[in-house]
Amino acid sequence: MAAAAQAATGSVVTARIDTAALIRNARTVAARVAPAQLMAVVKADAYGHSIDIVAPALYAAGLRDFAVATVPEAVALSQLLGPDSGARILCWLFDSAADLTACTRAGIELGISTPEALEAAIAAGEQTGLTQDVHLKLDTGLGRNGLSLQQLETVLDRLRELATQAGTAARAQGTTASAPVRVTGIMTHFANADIPGDPATVDQLHCFDTLYGRLQAELPYALRADDLMVTLANSPAALSLDPVPGSHVRAGISLYGISPFEDRTAAQLGLTPVMTVTSRVLNVKDVPAGHGASYGLTYRCERDTRFALVAGGYGDGLPRIAGNRGEVAIQGRRYPIVGRIAMDQMILDIGPAETGGEVAIGDEVIIIGDGTTGPSAEEWASWCETINYEIVTCISARVDRIAVGADAGSAPAPGDHTRGGAQ
Ligand SMILES: *Cc1c(COP(=O)(O)O)cnc(C)c1O
């Protein structure tokens, strides 16, 4: 039954990444938000889907705007796509004490959330003799990162001062001044966009409009791009607001075929889950009534039955809390996970042989599927008291990501370190 057996060096638990579904999802989101454009958020290893698979696939489909959270993520993405890719990469979470010259050299754009971060960007521009592009990140109500009104005043004062310095230097040298920073974008982030119609989103939009009007008037001309990239919407805002605000949306979860809404499924949004987590049955045995399962013996079978052992545990990112709650699928049929999920393995009660359900060693197990093939990320989220985002993002590095889909046969990019393969 173990068709298409993995090479012995590959992991038993694998995450198949359907690049054809990824591209369909990206096109669906892009069509929904037009004339705004799609910026693909590929932080946290593309929400656990492997940036090495996801970013080149989106790039090959024509996408050029990418965002990640951290500087190391941005630098790695820049190297992955190559120096002449023409891609724009934005990141927004960094320590303003850090050296940002790697960003400046790679043309990576930085979201600025404090006056200190602006100073770090200026220092990087001055050290390299280049211009560091920045997006002013405004806190319009989320209270997380982003410039407060007071911090924005400080940033504007500093930009005016820089513009004056640059102007003076240019006149002295009779040249066009190149300033160490340039504002190429304005951004903010919503708190409650996953609840369509929530008044907090309306308040944030008003706040943004006011600040954006001010910035249009007050950003020093010498330090701003002609075409500001204006980004507000995450996936839930991109899929629910009409019209979609901004020149671009910063969409992550929807690209992976996962619904950001509690009450709307991926299918209802026209999205297809990209990740399928599979494993195999490693052992099947008869056990008598009363037999316990796993550490703590928190489950005891009521009748003579069979236990099936499946590779996969919290070391693979499958939360332990799903023990005695969750299910997995074998040949389209659901079986309960009994007892505690261990670091590497879990136990299923597959019932006595006579009740049907032929389960054998080597059978494929769908741990996370689309709800039909196997439990969805939403089902896992409900068993684990979390959200679907966390379920896929936490699938660990031990799990091989394997590209499948229309272009899965293409050779991996140079320097691609994705394990597994595309067979
Ligand atoms: C993660 C993130 C996004 C993407 O959000 P999704 O809901 O996954 O689309 C956009 N903007 C910021 C600032 C983020 O941190």
Side-chain angles (χ1 to χ4, degrees):
M1 187 47 225
Q6 276 284 105
T9 51
S11 63
V12 178
V13 185
T14 67
R16 289 203 292 259
I17 305 303
D18 182 346
T19 54
L22 170 76
I23 289 162
R24 279 201 309 278
N25 295 335
R27 296 212 165 110
T28 301
V29 175
R32 168 72 177 73
V33 304
Q37 287 181 283
L38 172 62
M39 171 181 257
V41 181
V42 292
K43 63 189 179 183
D45 203 24
Y47 294 47
H49 291 65
S50 172
I51 195 168
D52 293 332
I53 294 173
V54 165
L58 289 171
Y59 183 85
L63 202 102
R64 291 293 176 272
D65 299 311
F66 294 89
V68 289
T70 71
V71 165
E73 288 176 333
V75 171
L77 176 57
S78 167
Q79 285 166 357
L80 177 68
L81 296 177
D84 304 318
S85 69
R88 284 180 82 168
I89 301 172
L90 169 67
C91 71
W92 49 71
L93 200 77
F94 53 91
D95 173 1
S96 51
D99 174 5
L100 299 174
T101 52
C103 289
T104 322
R105 290 203 177 87
I108 292 162
E109 303 179 42
L110 293 170
I112 299 297
S113 288
T114 62
E116 289 76 6
L118 178 65
E119 292 309 324
I122 293 168
E126 285 172 345
Q127 273 176 52
T128 54
L130 303 167
T131 299
Q132 172 63 55
D133 288 341
V134 299
H135 294 223
L136 301 184
K137 191 169 194 295
L138 309 174
D139 181 4
T140 55
L142 177 62
R144 204 172 67 174
N145 216 354
L147 297 157
S148 68
L149 202 52
Q150 198 185 0
Q151 289 173 315
L152 178 62
E153 300 298 346
T154 309
V155 160
L156 275 174
D157 286 346
R158 182 69 168 112
L159 288 173
R160 282 188 209 101
E161 182 187 302
L162 266 184
T164 311
Q165 280 168 11
T168 311
R171 274 191 301 281
Q173 296 160 15
T175 58
T176 313
S178 105
V181 290
R182 180 173 69 138
V183 178
T184 52
I186 313 284
M187 60 192 290
T188 194
H189 195 42
F190 292 116
N192 287 3
D194 57 323
I195 309 162
D198 192 277
T201 306
V202 180
D203 290 347
Q204 285 194 263
L205 277 167
H206 280 311
C207 178
F208 185 83
D209 280 347
T210 308
L211 292 176
Y212 183 58
R214 253 201 75 190
L215 286 171
Q216 286 280 35
E218 293 184 38
L219 274 181
Y221 184 72
L223 294 188
R224 55 166 292 177
D226 295 335
D227 242 348
L228 287 177
M229 181 187 268
V230 180
T231 64
L232 298 86
N234 52 2
S235 292
L239 295 173
S240 64
L241 293 181
D242 246 322
V244 177
S247 68
H248 291 68
V249 302
R250 299 186 312 271
I253 199 75
S254 51
L255 305 180
Y256 309 108
I258 288 180
S259 171
F261 305 109
E262 189 99 334
D263 58 355
R264 268 184 268 177
T265 64
Q268 286 168 336
L269 297 166
L271 304 172
T272 312
V274 169
M275 179 192 285
T276 304
V277 177
T278 71
S279 181
R280 295 211 179 262
V281 175
L282 301 185
N283 196 349
V284 175
K285 61 183 148 194
D286 293 310
V287 290
H291 203 291
S294 193
Y295 297 125
L297 303 174
T298 58
Y299 175 84
R300 284 184 187 278
C301 54
E302 284 172 2
R303 50 176 181 171
D304 293 355
T305 188
R306 290 174 305 161
F307 283 171
L309 183 75
V310 174
Y314 61 82
D316 303 287
L318 302 167
R320 185 172 174 272
I321 192 176
N324 289 322
R325 294 182 177 190
E327 302 170 341
V328 296
I330 302 171
Q331 295 174 42
R333 189 167 157 182
R334 299 285 186 103
Y335 296 96
I337 301 166
V338 295
R340 290 188 184 142
I341 292 177
M343 187 181 291
D344 317 304
Q345 44 198 306
M346 61 176 79
I347 298 166
L348 313 178
D349 185 341
I350 56 171
E354 23 345 320
T355 65
E358 276 314 304
V359 173
I361 290 176
D363 277 1
E364 184 180 73
V365 181
I366 308 285
I367 297 181
I368 303 176
D370 64 6
T372 315
T373 53
S376 62
E378 289 70 37
E379 286 174 80
W380 273 92
S382 73
W383 301 327
C384 301
E385 299 170 28
T386 182
I387 54 172
N388 45 19
Y389 289 66
E390 188 178 352
I391 295 297
V392 290
T393 304
C394 288
I395 297 301
S396 77
R398 182 164 79 177
V399 176
D400 288 351
R401 271 65 172 177
I402 298 175
V404 298
D407 59 351
S410 65
D416 186 359
H417 61 269
T418 304
R419 287 154 304 146
Q423 357 344 30

